Amino acid sequence: MESPPLEVQIKTLPLSPGVYLYFDKKDKLLYVGKAKKLKNRVSSYFTKSHDSFRIRTMVKNIHRIEHIVVETETDALLLENSLIKSRNPRYNIMLRDDKTYPWLVIKKERFPRVFLTRKMIKDGSEYFGPYTSVRTVRTLLELVKTLYPIRTCNYDLQQDKINEGKFKLCLEYHIGNCKGPCTGLQHEVAYNRSIEAIRGIVKGDFKEAVSYFTELMQAHAVNMEFEEAQQLKEKLEILTRYQAKSTVVNPNISNVDIFTIVSDEAAGYVNYLQINHGAITRSHTMELKKQLDEDDKQLLELAIVELRNRFDSQSTEVYTQFEVELGENLKVTVPKLGDKKRVVDLSERNAKFFRQEQFKTIKIVDPDRHTNRLMIQMKADLHLDEEPRHLECFDNSNIQGTNPVAACVVFKNGKPSKKEYRNFNIKTVEGPDDFASMEEVVYRRYRRLLEEDQPLPQLIIVDGGKGQLSSGVTALERLGLRGRIPIIGIAKRLEELFYPNDPVPLYLDKRSETLKVIQQMRNEAHRFGITHHRNKRSKQAIETELDEIPGIGEKTVVDLLKYFRSVKRVKVATKKELAEVVGVSKAQKIIDFYKDEEE
């Protein structure tokens, strides 16, 4: 049956909360979204003009709309998450999390084992984690096994099999790592008491374990069993040391989930911390790839639902950086100060570190993806019409007003292209005039590129504020390039970016990759220009002094400098030393020149 026109489909949508599904002509699912009011949300796609190319493309391909009405917005969020995971629509956020993390499991069985695993099997066993480091899980396992001897064998320890004597004591029993439940030497009640204590330690609750060992140690001491008391004391010290490392926040903060997000143009990175009894018992970070310019609120809401479901969180309170809508049954707190704020900051720092690690990994294993992401980021940050694959930056150098020069450095795909760097000697400007010098070099650079039919950059950066920027704009205007090439100025003091005809500068985040590339270009231009300036001054100093000696030509000067390495050494050399290089006659002329100079 042919679908009615889109206008009709939209008009018939209800104003209730729910989930909407977009399909194309081939009935492929394009997008799943949630809404407080279905009709208003879906209508907005067709009435607004969208900046994003992806949104415009998706809207153009929508042929059919389905919807599912639910009771509350929370239900809509849960259903949206479920449909995205099960049907993988083309334009929805991608949950990029294919890495397997280690967990600590308490197996659901008689005399439960406790071990490390990377697979979560839904068989009623208890899973704690995931942990970002295998070392952390092994340290925790080592701790609990030191405190509570538990079995490592995988026998099915049913009572009838134990009674029949089907199992034999193994080495673990003889070295004191197990108390022999397989042969009935340890009762189930005592074993389960150890498991309960282990469960508390893994969750961050050390109170019961500390109390139990303290009482037992005192009982042994009263009975003069000092060796056993000493062993328990050592266990207590191990437990206390581990507790001190684990407690990172106020012990009153318990059974709370913390979620924070950092994002860029391509993805959001969400960190999840779970806190029990003042200790972090879970830490996990996931990447959500944006498809339709989703904002941080949308990404965080989806991630919270996904992560709480995945890890079966029973916490009734969530701390976040900003308000999110998660339904009436979950309390959302946005801490402003104190320990609660500190733990939110800690979570955000984890998300930032994860993002940086992702970038470093991508840079190594997939440099093209890193470059593409950087170009997209720079295009957005600097409000450009196209990606700045080819960048050029200019800097003037006229230290103490002498030998004015300028440098132009070229970056391709965010990296220096040193063979294309150029130096300029200022020709038309007398004295130190940064503005006129900038106009001259920008004009000369792009006049030449035009004459040689070379590709022009996607962005020009001039080192300096409004004055230097204005000079660069004037040069482009003279060449008929104004408006064809974007140009900005960077002021040193506050790293302000100036745009033509805009009195308000742009301030980028100090940690922004875009700003780092611009700073690198500015520093390269300065270094390159200063080197050229120093070489020019040195050359001029050498030429002036040795060329003044009557009868000494350019070839003789070169021979002298090759041998003596500096003008100062030529000056103090003896006649005999000079004669060996340039002959007796010229040696005498050099001696006479410096002798007259001293008089």
Side-chain angles (χ1 to χ4, degrees), residues 124-159:
S125 299
E126 291 177 85
Y127 289 83
F128 300 91
Y131 296 89
T132 51
S133 160
V134 175
R135 190 184 297 169
T136 306
V137 192
R138 288 192 175 137
T139 304
L140 194 52
L141 265 176
E142 197 178 311
L143 169 75
V144 298
K145 286 182 177 179
T146 304
L147 299 171
Y148 302 99
I150 51 174
R151 73 180 181 116
T152 54
C153 62
N154 58 1
Y155 297 142
D156 179 14
L157 299 185
Q158 295 303 320
Q159 191 60 50

Side-chain angles (χ1 to χ4, degrees), residues 20-63:
Y20 53 92
L21 300 89
Y22 293 151
F23 295 85
D24 65 10
K25 282 184 179 178
K26 294 178 181 176
D27 230 32
K28 275 192 176 176
L29 182 59
L30 297 173
Y31 186 73
V32 174
K34 65 168 176 65
K36 276 184 186 176
K37 296 181 178 179
L38 280 166
K39 188 174 185 178
N40 294 355
R41 182 74 185 106
V42 173
S43 299
S44 70
Y45 277 94
F46 299 91
T47 53
K48 287 181 183 175
S49 58
H50 301 286
D51 294 332
S52 166
F53 173 75
R54 290 181 69 84
I55 297 178
R56 290 200 302 272
T57 307
M58 183 193 75
V59 171
K60 212 180 287 180
N61 289 323
I62 296 171
H63 181 67

Side-chain angles (χ1 to χ4, degrees), residues 227 289 450 490 518:
E227 194 175 325
K289 191 176 179 187
L450 288 170
I490 177 169
I518 293 172

Side-chain angles (χ1 to χ4, degrees), residues 75 126 202 293 317 517 545 592:
D75 296 332
E126 291 177 85
V202 172
D293 297 336
E317 186 173 9
V517 171
E545 193 161 301
D592 292 342

Side-chain angles (χ1 to χ4, degrees), residues 8 85 111 173 273 292 297 302 328 340 360 391 401 457 497 501 566 577 586 588:
V8 176
K85 282 165 68 180
F111 298 100
Y173 170 80
L273 296 179
L292 295 174
K297 186 173 182 290
L302 183 69
E328 294 173 7
K340 291 180 181 180
K360 285 175 189 171
L391 295 160
L497 299 179
N501 303 322
S566 73
E577 290 170 335
K586 287 179 181 176
Q588 189 58 53

Side-chain angles (χ1 to χ4, degrees), residues 16 137 206 282 336 349 422 474:
S16 317
V137 192
F206 299 84
R282 175 172 289 142
K336 300 297 179 191
R349 199 154 65 245
R422 294 292 180 269
T474 304

